[in-house]
Amino acid sequence: MSGVREPAAQEQRSKTFYLETFGCQMNVHDSEKVVGTLVQQGYRQVETVEQADLILYNTCSIRDKAEQKVFHRLADYKKLQSQGKKFGVLGCVAQQEGEKIFERAPHVSLVCGSASYRNLPQMLVQLENASGPAERAIPRAAGEVAALRDDAFVEKASDSGLRTRDLIRITGLDDRQTDKCFETEFTARTNPHRGYITIIEGCDKFCAYCIVPFTRGKERSRTSDSVLLEARQMGDLGYTEIQLLGQNVNSYKDPAGKRSFAELLAAVGEVPGIRRVRFTTSHPRDFGRDIVDAIDAVPSLCDHVHLPVQSGSTRLLDAMQRLYTREQYLERIGWIKSAKRGIAITTDVIVGFPGETESEFEQTLTLLEQVGYDGVFSFKYSPRPNTPAVTLDDAIPDQEKAYRLEVLMAKQRELQIIRNKRYLGMILEVMIEGRNEARQQWIGRTSQNKTLNFLASPQAKLEPGSYVSVLVTGSFPNSLVGECCISEQMELSVHPSSMIAP
Ligand code: SAM
Ligand code: SF4
């Protein structure tokens, strides 16, 4: 759970680590669990690479650009290896590149994919035993490090330009077929009000463009009892918002067979103290009407569904192996729109998938209009190693991909301007996330997952994590502005996810 970081005890710890995270919310939450595990193993987290004994990167390989970032970081800090610092690469790039990382960056000692995080404590012990500073000063006899081969692959490197006796190789790469999730009671959550819970790991869908099934392993769910236990513990600790996570969160299958995804969602929404529940990402094929029914029935389930479409063309969806047609996708949108509450809808789109014609791209633009999304995350198709799409020969030139991306973003911006105007004059409840002193504004988030910046009287006792009602007075493409109109004490009777016309 949280509360792992106890400052006084932490200060006394001599082993230090620095962790930088790239990528999605799953990675952010994995890092919270990795931090908890390290603290539990006697490490202290520090803010800079210079202060750290162990430098870790939790990486993302969803697109080529994300992947390159970690190699730039490793190159930037390579010289620190001479000070005895150790480097580890975790996450998707670790799993994808595996031992090739040792060749490209010989100063790396640990390479571990997310499916092996359960084994981190043993790997850390091996890292420490194999490479303490004293040991570094004394040349080791051949075979000493190799004796540590039991659970991890440890060997000496050659041809690296560095003294081979200083090189340690520890890997956690062989667990992609595991049925186990990375469950730990030592999660170092950074936000005291809102927290993630991963309910399902991995992915079995194998979309033609996507590297995730190769890096995160097969789909596996936690039991709903274990998820609910964690949710209740979070409620007891004062968290008010929970976000359920999974690459395809709604493909969730309770191994104990007790609850469907919609039932689990409803049960988390009824946990005492929890005022908001979000879930991401939903796969359209597994999106059932029962999810909308749950949102209608349980007030704490937020008014927001993220439902990635990727393309508006059925032919392209088929080529992408997305397992649904445009019409089936729109049917699900129809269910969401028929809910009693106004549910905000967001999506992901890929432009320039191999073979995407202009008219197929046009179909994506018409879909944006037809659905009326509240937000779109759009990406240029990025060829990924080992995926089926990488072998397709009708690639779209990068310039054309960039052009389509620009057109799509401009279109969506126009639509969002119109969409956000519909909130004008409404009172929305926000959770306060922070304050922008320069603008004298509080920063809030609505149930619909919109940023709502607002003014409040200096007398109002506001603080991050509290909930207030805000009258929307202005709108922009990506945010709303307003004025705090009801204090938290006064608005307790207001429905947590309400949108009230004044
Ligand atoms: N499981 C979710 C789904 O099926 O919609 C998506 C998870 S994926 C980590 C997040 C997003 O990254 C995808 O929805 C897709 O838009 C984008 N993405 C994945 N692979 C990509 C690639 N090769 N090139 C560009 N974007 C990609
Ligand atoms: Fe990737 Fe498709 Fe799995 Fe989503 S469903 S993680 S896009 S393979």
Side-chain angles (χ1 to χ4, degrees):
M1 282 281 21
S2 65
V4 177
R5 301 174 96 193
E6 301 146 20
Q10 283 243 355
E11 288 310 315
Q12 291 161 14
R13 298 169 183 214
S14 57
K15 299 182 287 184
T16 54
F17 74 98
Y18 169 86
L19 172 64
E20 183 173 354
T21 306
F22 302 91
C24 63
Q25 288 148 316
M26 294 279 289
N27 264 12
V28 170
H29 185 45
D30 281 348
S31 284
E32 291 179 336
K33 294 196 267 187
V34 167
V35 170
T37 305
L38 278 145
V39 171
Q40 190 58 21
Q41 292 293 113
Y43 283 78
R44 176 163 61 93
Q45 188 174 16
V46 292
E47 300 295 321
T48 64
V49 169
E50 287 72 19
Q51 294 168 292
D53 302 320
L54 174 62
I55 297 152
L56 297 172
Y57 295 109
N58 186 5
T59 59
C60 169
S61 59
I62 196 89
R63 283 168 290 276
D64 185 55
K65 240 188 204 164
E67 186 185 325
Q68 293 317 319
K69 273 189 198 161
V70 66
F71 288 108
H72 290 144
R73 282 290 194 286
L74 287 169
D76 288 348
Y77 292 111
K78 186 178 171 183
K79 56 184 182 299
L80 297 181
Q81 203 246 3
S82 63
Q83 297 172 15
K85 294 184 193 295
K86 283 153 217 102
F87 292 80
V89 178
L90 312 177
C92 291
V93 176
Q95 188 65 60
Q96 179 198 307
E97 294 297 302
E99 287 161 26
K100 279 190 264 166
I101 292 177
F102 296 135
E103 286 161 31
R104 203 160 156 189
H107 53 302
V108 170
S109 301
L110 170 70
V111 171
C112 177
S114 63
S116 298
Y117 288 163
R118 287 173 290 114
N119 305 324
L120 264 179
Q122 297 94 293
M123 290 186 211
L124 291 169
V125 170
Q126 284 168 335
L127 190 62
E128 288 161 21
N129 289 345
S131 59
E135 196 179 355
R136 185 170 293 284
I138 307 163
R140 274 190 299 268
E144 253 182 282
V145 174
L148 292 158
R149 274 173 185 262
D150 276 0
D151 299 306
F153 174 64
V154 183
E155 70 168 12
K156 294 182 177 186
S158 57
D159 298 335
S160 61
L162 295 164
R163 292 183 306 164
T164 55
R165 66 169 180 270
D166 287 340
L167 296 172
I168 304 299
R169 272 68 180 102
I170 298 181
T171 60
L173 297 168
D174 302 326
D175 283 323
R176 279 174 295 173
Q177 292 307 314
T178 182
D179 288 324
K180 293 194 183 125
C181 292
F182 179 31
E183 293 194 42
T184 169
E185 53 184 318
F186 308 115
T187 302
R189 292 196 165 86
T190 45
N191 183 318
H193 314 293
R194 146 181 334 135
Y196 297 121
I197 302 182
T198 301
I199 65 167
I200 174 168
E201 294 182 18
C203 176
D204 286 343
K205 301 245 176 351
F206 289 92
C207 299
Y209 51 79
C210 185
I211 200 148
V212 169
F214 302 94
T215 57
R216 286 194 165 263
K218 75 173 195 183
E219 208 162 83
R220 53 209 187 270
S221 300
R222 293 172 59 180
T223 63
S224 61
D225 282 349
S226 138
V227 172
L228 280 169
L229 179 69
E230 191 168 353
R232 284 189 205 108
Q233 286 171 336
M234 287 175 69
D236 291 345
L237 284 167
Y239 289 88
T240 59
E241 181 175 317
I242 287 179
Q243 186 157 348
L244 302 181
L245 292 182
Q247 290 301 335
N248 296 303
V249 73
N250 61 327
S251 305
Y252 175 81
K253 275 189 195 64
D254 186 351
K258 274 196 183 173
R259 296 175 184 89
S260 67
F261 172 66
E263 286 164 348
L264 175 60
L265 204 51
V268 174
E270 272 152 13
V271 166
I274 300 305
R275 291 176 70 151
R276 284 185 173 181
V277 180
R278 303 184 186 277
F279 55 99
T280 197
T281 294
S282 294
H283 191 285
R285 197 206 55 185
D286 297 337
F287 194 90
R289 213 187 258 269
D290 57 346
I291 298 174
V292 180
D293 293 342
I295 296 176
D296 268 341
V298 183
S300 56
L301 303 188
C302 284
D303 301 342
H304 174 218
V305 172
H306 183 63
L307 198 64
V309 67
Q310 315 301 358
S311 167
S313 146
T314 294
R315 191 202 71 81
L316 220 63
L317 287 171
D318 187 43
M320 290 176 167
Q321 298 169 26
R322 283 294 288 178
L323 313 171
Y324 53 84
T325 62
R326 177 185 174 113
E327 289 66 36
Q328 285 166 334
Y329 181 86
L330 286 171
E331 183 185 30
R332 280 136 185 86
I333 295 292
W335 298 338
I336 299 169
K337 287 190 172 174
S338 67
K340 292 185 202 127
R341 302 194 235 151
I343 298 177
I345 306 172
T346 53
T347 199
D348 295 347
V349 170
I350 296 177
V351 299
F353 184 79
E356 182 187 60
T357 63
E358 273 181 37
S359 94
E360 283 164 346
F361 172 61
E362 280 293 324
Q363 290 175 46
T364 301
L365 298 180
T366 62
L367 185 93
L368 297 192
E369 274 175 19
Q370 210 170 335
V371 175
Y373 289 110
D374 290 88
V376 174
F377 298 89
S378 46
F379 312 102
K380 286 192 288 181
Y381 165 68
S382 169
R384 302 284 59 219
N386 304 322
T387 58
V390 86
T391 57
L392 299 173
D393 52 12
D394 38 3
I396 309 287
D398 196 60
Q399 211 181 352
E400 178 62 22
K401 284 192 230 172
Y403 171 73
R404 290 183 190 179
L405 188 67
E406 220 173 276
V407 170
L408 184 129
M409 284 165 58
K411 171 107 213 150
Q412 179 56 24
R413 193 183 150 85
E414 274 171 36
L415 293 167
Q416 271 175 228
I417 290 172
I418 300 164
R419 244 181 117 79
N420 279 349
K421 281 199 174 131
R422 79 193 195 283
Y423 292 107
L424 285 172
M426 284 185 180
I427 292 172
L428 301 183
E429 187 193 61
V430 299
M431 184 210 242
I432 299 180
E433 292 190 334
R435 184 163 166 83
N436 182 332
E437 285 301 341
R439 292 187 175 177
Q440 297 284 297
Q441 277 179 330
W442 290 95
I443 304 162
R445 185 157 299 273
T446 71
S447 170
Q448 299 77 18
N449 208 27
K450 297 204 177 265
T451 300
L452 171 44
N453 300 311
F454 64 97
L455 298 169
S457 109
Q459 279 77 42
K461 289 199 183 79
L462 303 184
E463 55 184 28
S466 56
Y467 290 80
V468 288
S469 293
V470 176
L471 172 67
V472 180
T473 55
S475 70
F476 298 100
N478 294 309
S479 64
L480 304 170
V481 284
E483 285 164 22
C484 177
C485 56
I486 311 175
S487 76
E488 184 172 43
Q489 285 70 29
M490 287 166 69
E491 59 83 70
L492 281 179
S493 59
V494 175
H495 196 282
S497 53
S498 58
M499 288 195 290
I500 314 157

